[in-house]
Amino acid sequence: MLQDLHAKNQILHCAIGIVPSSVVLTSFQVMSRVFLIWAVTHSVKEVQSEDSVLLFVIAWTITEIIRYSFYTFSLLNHLPYIIKWARYTLFIVLYPMGVTGELLTIYAALPFVRQAGLYSISLPNKYNFSFDYHAFLILIMISYIPLFPQLYFHMIHQRRKVLSRTEEHKKFE
């Protein structure tokens, strides 16, 4: 319940301009996190003790502490350089760490999902529709191949833009 409220607030904060982030990217990030927590980790109890869960939870936690510190100080018009630097630098390690944890967790869930037929719908049924959650999870994992590099290099570009601008300002001070 609290996670749900936090997710909605994150998207709302972007939509109304409280935080300067893309609504689309934030929505994608929030929905992927909700998916990983509820549709994978919560639903497949066997993966909850995997080290991979700890990996993505630590990466997400540190990322959110940095992100909200950045937003808070920015709203107060007093952004310490160390917070800006952390926001645009630590993702270099945290982003791959989180993605690795996410992918390893989904991978660990696959045998349990297949064995239990979790969230799968088989034919025949009155709707004449089938859904294979195991195959869906594999497609989710494959989707990381084109998406991760795009998002990662977007952040690299943002880092260059933001931190080089800061360095330029420091030269003139």
Side-chain angles (χ1 to χ4, degrees), residues 10-29:
Q10 258 188 312
I11 296 167
L12 178 66
H13 291 165
C14 292
I16 63 176
I18 293 176
V19 294
S21 293
S22 162
V23 176
V24 173
L25 288 177
T26 301
S27 298
F28 178 75
Q29 181 184 47

Side-chain angles (χ1 to χ4, degrees), residues 97-166:
M97 181 177 149
V99 165
T100 300
E102 293 168 20
L103 289 170
L104 289 173
T105 300
I106 296 170
Y107 183 76
L110 288 174
F112 301 105
V113 168
R114 172 167 271 161
Q115 182 183 30
L118 184 67
Y119 301 137
S120 295
I121 301 168
S122 300
L123 287 171
N125 60 54
K126 67 181 182 177
Y127 302 108
N128 200 26
F129 171 81
S130 68
F131 176 74
D132 184 345
Y133 188 57
H134 181 269
F136 177 74
L137 288 178
I138 292 170
L139 288 174
I140 293 291
M141 292 175 70
I142 291 169
S143 76
Y144 277 71
I145 296 168
L147 293 175
F148 173 74
Q150 279 186 302
L151 296 172
Y152 190 76
F153 288 117
H154 169 74
M155 284 301 295
I156 293 284
H157 175 74
Q158 290 296 105
R159 180 180 192 276
R160 279 191 200 118
K161 189 169 86 176
V162 170
L163 293 184
S164 69
R165 191 179 315 139
T166 302

